[in-house]
Amino acid sequence: MNFAYNENQVMIADMIRKFGEEHIRPKMMEWDEAQTFPVEVFKKLGELGLMGVLVPTEYGGSGFSYTEYVTAIVELSRICGSIGLSMAAHNSLCTGHIMTFGNEEQKKKYLPKLATAEFIGAWGLTEVGTGSDSGGMNTTAVLEGDHYVINGSKNFITHGKSGDVAVVIVRTGQKGDSHGMTAFVIEKGTPGFTAGRKENKLGMRASETCELIFVNCKVHKSQMLGKVGDGFIQAMKVLDGGRISIASLGVGIAKGAYDASVKYAKEREQFGKPISQFQAIAFKLADMVTEIEAAELLTYKAADMKNKGEKMTKEGAIAKYYSSEVAVRVSTDAVQIFGGYGYTKDFPVEKYYRDSKLCTIGEGTSEIQKLVISREILK
């Protein structure tokens, strides 16, 4: 196996590093403090082709594989987890759902706008009482003539307020029935479809998280993705790819925290020498880089299987589980290496520390990943 970056990965990594230094790093703490979702940054990322990484060129996308997609998320998250998260959610969830399950008319209508970030995409599965137990959702869609009338709400939705279009999975059958849910594409401005409360979060604060509220929202049946009852099955397949996104996010955050730690350990002196020369610090760095490399390999393995069209439910869950936990461990050690300064916002690692925790929760908690992995190996 060749583990070196291919030509496209090198190009993407260099482009993102330059873009990040100019457009992200100078303002990311300001966005974090104010919980500002920087829409203008994502419009620029759209111009660079990063909001449609996986979208075929015929629909205005970059037409890259999951290998390049992982690289893009890692490099963005290495700078700012919030930007990496929003880019990933837009690509893998909303855009990915339409790309995978939409008909030709739906693809032509939405993919070009999503790929260029003319539209920002959202994706709604979670509800207040149904996080991991998404099959117990309460939001319903009832057919009346040529329209479905949707009532209920979704929460913890990335881009819930700023998104121009959302893919939403709602209940059209019995609660708990895996074939009782259906997916719809709903545009902002549709009567009865509004954004609710914006969450005040620990980390990932520049990635917007809001409620979606539906009150007698009429959606034409042409906006359905696939068939009635396919929604939950579609969502599980979308989340298979989404786990690669979060694994990549974890790798990027861990790399950012590690980079900052190595730099600081070489510069910070105590007892007449850099703290990197103390075994306690050097061994922390050794553990950090070892776990990062393992997480990265697991992530690229899942991405390679996805590229080949192979079933990668187990591998995606393993990558997501391990990488997200590594991000937390590495960022925790980074704060420890920085000591008191690591606890202040004047230095970068406290943000990696706060951002990392979402990786163990979003798109399936670590416990859910263990459930997926154990079910796969015990089949």
Side-chain angles (χ1 to χ4, degrees):
M1 294 177 69
N2 181 6
F3 295 105
Y5 270 14
N6 62 36
E7 186 178 341
N8 288 333
Q9 288 175 283
V10 171
M11 176 196 70
I12 288 169
D14 288 344
M15 178 175 68
I16 289 174
R17 287 166 193 161
K18 291 173 184 175
F19 179 87
E21 292 304 316
E22 181 178 355
H23 298 288
I24 299 174
R25 200 178 297 280
K27 289 190 174 182
M28 66 182 190
M29 290 308 294
E30 178 184 324
W31 299 331
D32 185 81
E33 287 289 318
Q35 288 210 113
T36 299
F37 176 61
V39 175
E40 69 281 358
V41 168
F42 293 95
K43 299 294 185 183
K44 290 186 175 75
L45 288 174
E47 293 171 9
L48 296 176
L50 293 173
M51 297 297 274
V53 180
L54 300 166
V55 175
T57 54
E58 65 200 85
Y59 299 112
S62 297
F64 288 137
S65 74
Y66 263 79
T67 305
E68 287 83 10
Y69 177 54
V70 167
T71 302
I73 298 173
V74 167
E75 293 300 333
L76 278 173
S77 307
R78 201 169 187 166
I79 302 166
C80 177
S82 292
I83 304 301
L85 173 63
S86 277
M87 175 270 195
H90 171 94
N91 274 280
S92 73
L93 298 180
C94 179
T95 305
H97 199 137
I98 295 170
M99 187 171 69
T100 306
F101 297 106
N103 59 37
E104 192 61 25
E105 183 181 348
Q106 291 165 339
K107 290 178 183 179
K108 287 179 178 178
K109 182 177 181 180
Y110 292 111
L111 291 183
K113 293 182 178 181
L114 288 163
T116 57
E118 179 183 344
F119 276 6
I120 300 294
W123 191 79
L125 178 66
T126 300
E127 298 182 7
V128 171
T130 59
S132 298
D133 180 22
S134 54
M137 66 176 60
N138 292 308
T139 301
T140 58
V142 178
L143 182 61
E144 293 184 5
D146 288 336
H147 291 79
Y148 279 87
V149 180
I150 301 176
N151 282 284
S153 64
K154 299 287 178 179
N155 78 327
F156 296 141
I157 307 305
T158 305
H159 315 143
K161 183 177 180 181
S162 297
D164 300 284
V165 62
V167 172
V168 181
I169 297 89
V170 298
R171 186 160 58 82
T172 49
Q174 294 299 311
K175 186 180 288 192
D177 179 5
S178 62
H179 295 282
M181 288 157 276
T182 304
F184 294 89
V185 186
I186 309 176
E187 295 184 29
K188 178 189 281 187
T190 301
F193 175 36
T194 57
R197 186 171 72 99
K198 183 176 178 178
E199 302 295 341
N200 186 8
K201 300 179 296 182
L202 168 72
M204 301 291 194
R205 290 171 59 83
S207 178
E208 178 185 275
T209 307
C210 294
E211 286 181 306
L212 297 179
I213 299 172
F214 303 91
V215 180
N216 294 324
C217 176
K218 292 181 70 174
V219 179
H220 194 270
K221 60 184 181 183
S222 64
Q223 296 299 102
M224 184 190 300
L225 289 166
K227 299 176 182 176
V228 175
D230 284 353
F232 182 76
I233 307 302
Q234 291 175 2
M236 294 304 103
K237 290 179 179 177
V238 168
L239 288 173
D240 269 357
R243 289 181 186 125
I244 295 175
S245 301
I246 304 300
S248 308
L249 185 67
V251 170
I253 290 170
K255 281 191 171 189
Y258 168 76
D259 292 341
S261 298
V262 170
K263 183 175 184 294
Y264 183 79
K266 289 179 177 179
E267 295 172 350
R268 171 71 165 168
E269 291 192 0
Q270 291 285 272
F271 307 103
K273 59 183 178 181
I275 63 172
S276 60
Q277 293 185 21
F278 292 99
Q279 192 177 74
I281 302 300
F283 278 17
K284 275 190 188 297
L285 295 171
D287 285 338
M288 291 160 81
V289 75
T290 301
E291 291 201 309
I292 289 168
E293 294 215 4
E296 192 167 29
L297 287 171
L298 287 170
T299 303
Y300 276 111
K301 178 185 178 182
D304 183 60
M305 293 178 71
K306 182 74 173 174
N307 287 338
K308 293 174 180 175
E310 297 173 0
K311 186 176 186 293
M312 37 65 65
T313 301
K314 173 171 69 75
E315 289 75 13
I318 288 173
K320 197 272 188 191
Y321 168 51
Y322 187 75
S323 175
S324 61
E325 296 291 343
V326 164
V328 172
R329 286 196 293 270
V330 168
S331 59
T332 300
D333 280 346
V335 171
Q336 198 70 18
I337 288 170
F338 273 73
Y341 292 115
Y343 206 63
T344 71
K345 292 184 183 292
D346 295 325
F347 289 81
V349 291
E350 66 85 30
K351 183 176 183 298
Y352 291 119
Y353 179 71
R354 289 185 290 108
D355 287 348
S356 68
K357 190 57 192 169
L358 184 277
C359 297
T360 70
I361 299 169
E363 294 193 37
T365 62
S366 290
E367 291 73 23
I368 289 295
Q369 304 314 310
K370 290 181 185 181
L371 184 65
V372 171
I373 295 163
S374 62
R375 282 178 175 172
E376 288 295 312
I377 63 178
L378 294 171
K379 277 184 177 178

